[in-house]
Amino acid sequence: MDDQTRMLTGLTGLGGLSQPDVGDPDSVRKQQSLGQPQQDIGDILQQIMAITDESLDEAQARKHALNCHRMKPALFSVLCEIKEKTVLSIRGVQEEDPPDPQIMRLDNMLLAEGVSGPEKGGGSAAAAAAAAAAGGSPTDSSIEHSDYRAKLAQIRQIYHSELEKYEQACSEFTNHVMNLLREQSRTRPISPKEIERMVAIIHRKFSSIQMQLKQSTCEAVMILRSRFLDARRKRRNFNKQATEVLNEYFYSHLSNPYPSEEAKEELAKKCGITVPGVHTNTLGITHLTSVSNWFGNKRIRYKKNIGKFQEEANLYAVKTAVDAANVSAQASQANSPATPNSGISGYPAPCYTPDGRL
DNA sequence: AGTTATGATTATTT
DNA sequence: AAATAATCATAACT
């Protein structure tokens, strides 16, 4: 049943093909009788023209007959070639689209914000619970944080369902068009290349729609993020134990209060703000950053007004001295309990006086 | 309400 | 890149 229509294909363009040697496979026969093909073509043309005047049944039969014509496949390919050269090549070349930087930017951002990446649902609840268990202040801003997460998840869900919709629509439409073109390729010259190009065009169109989706998703995330960022400024003080640990380190390293990365890690752990496997606190900030912030603030504020911190300095000097004494006493009573710190660089050593004052 | 303390952010410096 | 200095915004205190 598919052969009937195919005939028209090869024949519609016959008028333009007066040269007899266009890709005819049957060259032997052609050489034997040069006048023959033109005659043939003329006949065929007439037959085609006559089809419209015939009844449906007759036309079908005629079509079928023509479709089976020995020259049909050759003619079809020639027509495709001609079409290719005259029409498609003109605008078909400038289409090696490089990966759009804009869409790559959007993709990267969505990935970074965890919208398009792999699902990470269960971790957040566990992390919040762990943070609550470990930290001194169980009911802090983790609520806001989970709010943020919930909203992000919502955006994420919408994004994915929309994306899926678009993808489905795209493939549906592509399929439809491809079928249509394949069907039509029986009645007019459409090369596979042309179909390919059509598909590419459709994909481009749909990807531009996708870009709009991505863009608006990005916008939504940005808005959410900015709101969250504002919320992030609602700072929570460290608990007493944490500041104690930090101060201890600071004043016992007053000569060089610059903890290395490892030391910061250690401090974060000691402060009880590090939860195993989780590297951000409830405010979404890296613990190391928090420790760094603390030391940055401490250094500058200490330097700015040493007098104000003297009391504190003495207090911690005593503390560490006592600790050191205890440790060394426990280890071996004989050896001298060395005082842990002494001023080396720009920072003066805290001067401990018995009455606790400078 | 006004003030201070403090964690985080931003701009600048080194 | 990391430290500093200035600044912001809020917690905590008076």
Side-chain angles (χ1 to χ4, degrees):
Chain A
M1 52 153 77
D2 33 328
D3 279 352
Q4 348 174 288
T5 30
R6 199 165 288 155
M7 190 60 235
L8 270 178
T9 301
L11 298 174
T12 17
L14 274 182
L17 292 170
S18 29
Q19 287 88 354
D21 68 333
V22 265
D24 183 2
D26 210 351
S27 50
V28 183
R29 191 183 179 278
K30 217 167 53 183
Q31 278 176 348
Q32 282 174 342
S33 51
L34 267 173
Q36 208 51 4
Q38 288 212 9
Q39 177 89 40
D40 256 5
I41 291 167
D43 284 353
I44 292 167
L45 260 179
Q46 280 204 327
Q47 286 177 43
I48 293 167
M49 301 311 272
I51 279 182
T52 43
D53 297 332
E54 294 168 0
S55 77
L56 208 67
D57 280 346
E58 277 174 322
Q60 289 295 6
R62 175 81 63 202
K63 265 163 68 183
H64 181 70
L66 290 171
N67 217 6
C68 298
H69 195 281
R70 65 196 156 73
M71 282 174 70
K72 188 250 164 184
L75 288 171
F76 181 77
S77 72
V78 168
L79 284 169
C80 282
E81 238 173 78
I82 289 169
K83 192 177 172 190
E84 186 83 23
K85 276 181 189 144
T86 53
V87 187
L88 296 168
S89 59
I90 292 167
R91 57 189 184 122
V93 182
Q94 21 80 308
E95 287 176 10
E96 294 303 321
D97 58 329
D100 188 359
Q102 173 76 0
I103 206 162
M104 282 204 10
R105 232 175 32 119
L106 292 176
D107 272 337
N108 284 340
M109 187 195 149
L110 288 174
L111 204 67
E113 294 300 327
V115 175
S116 60
E119 184 87 47
K120 47 176 180 179
S124 63
S137 49
T139 54
D140 58 11
S141 64
S142 60
I143 296 128
E144 289 170 40
H145 198 204
S146 72
D147 197 42
Y148 170 78
R149 278 177 179 287
K151 292 223 168 89
L152 190 71
Q154 202 178 328
I155 289 173
R156 183 196 168 84
Q157 203 220 316
I158 291 169
Y159 170 77
H160 275 118
S161 73
E162 287 294 302
L163 198 66
E164 201 181 327
K165 241 193 276 173
Y166 287 153
E167 247 148 37
Q168 202 180 327
C170 180
S171 75
E172 240 167 63
F173 189 66
T174 305
N175 245 335
H176 185 73
V177 168
M178 253 163 70
N179 284 338
L180 213 67
L181 286 177
R182 263 202 286 264
E183 186 63 35
Q184 291 226 327
S185 75
R186 291 171 183 174
T187 53
R188 62 191 183 93
I190 299 173
S191 66
K193 218 171 168 184
E194 200 180 337
I195 296 178
E196 220 170 89
R197 224 166 314 195
M198 201 65 194
V199 168
I201 288 168
I202 293 168
H203 275 123
R204 254 202 302 284
K205 281 279 179 243
F206 269 91
S207 87
S208 84
I209 295 173
Q210 272 190 15
M211 187 158 103
Q212 280 184 342
L213 170 68
K214 281 174 182 173
Q215 198 145 25
S216 61
T217 305
C218 272
E219 242 165 70
V221 172
M222 290 292 249
I223 290 168
L224 180 65
R225 223 179 120 78
S226 75
R227 225 184 292 157
F228 174 66
L229 225 68
D230 286 348
R232 204 157 51 161
R233 299 195 92 118
K234 286 196 180 84
R235 63 159 234 283
R236 316 249 76 196
N237 289 359
F238 292 155
N239 60 41
K240 210 167 176 231
Q241 188 221 341
T243 51
E244 204 137 301
V245 169
L246 292 167
N247 271 319
E248 225 166 89
Y249 186 97
F250 181 77
Y251 286 112
S252 65
H253 296 73
L254 244 196
S255 56
N256 184 35
Y258 298 88
S260 63
E261 290 298 297
E262 299 86 63
K264 283 182 202 168
E265 196 87 63
E266 189 73 25
L267 284 165
K269 220 179 279 178
K270 261 182 155 181
C271 288
I273 51 177
T274 297
V275 178
V278 179
H279 296 290
T280 59
N281 62 22
T282 50
L283 297 174
I285 293 156
T286 309
H287 293 308
L288 284 181
T289 313
S290 278
V291 174
S292 298
N293 284 341
W294 192 91
F295 273 90
N297 284 321
K298 192 74 185 180
R299 280 192 300 260
I300 197 76
R301 282 163 188 167
Y302 180 84
K303 199 173 96 175
K304 246 183 175 171
N305 191 352
I306 294 176
K308 199 172 75 181
F309 286 90
Q310 210 56 63
E311 212 171 322
E312 193 178 68
N314 294 334
L315 200 140
Y316 281 99
V318 175
K319 214 175 175 49
T320 52
V322 170
D323 282 357
N326 281 344
V327 167
S328 68
Q330 276 178 351
S332 62
Q333 311 99 314
N335 285 342
S336 61
T339 345
N341 80 320
S342 53
I344 297 171
S345 75
Y347 290 91
C351 304
Y352 170 67
T353 51
D355 62 58
R357 298 195 159 271
L358 182 63

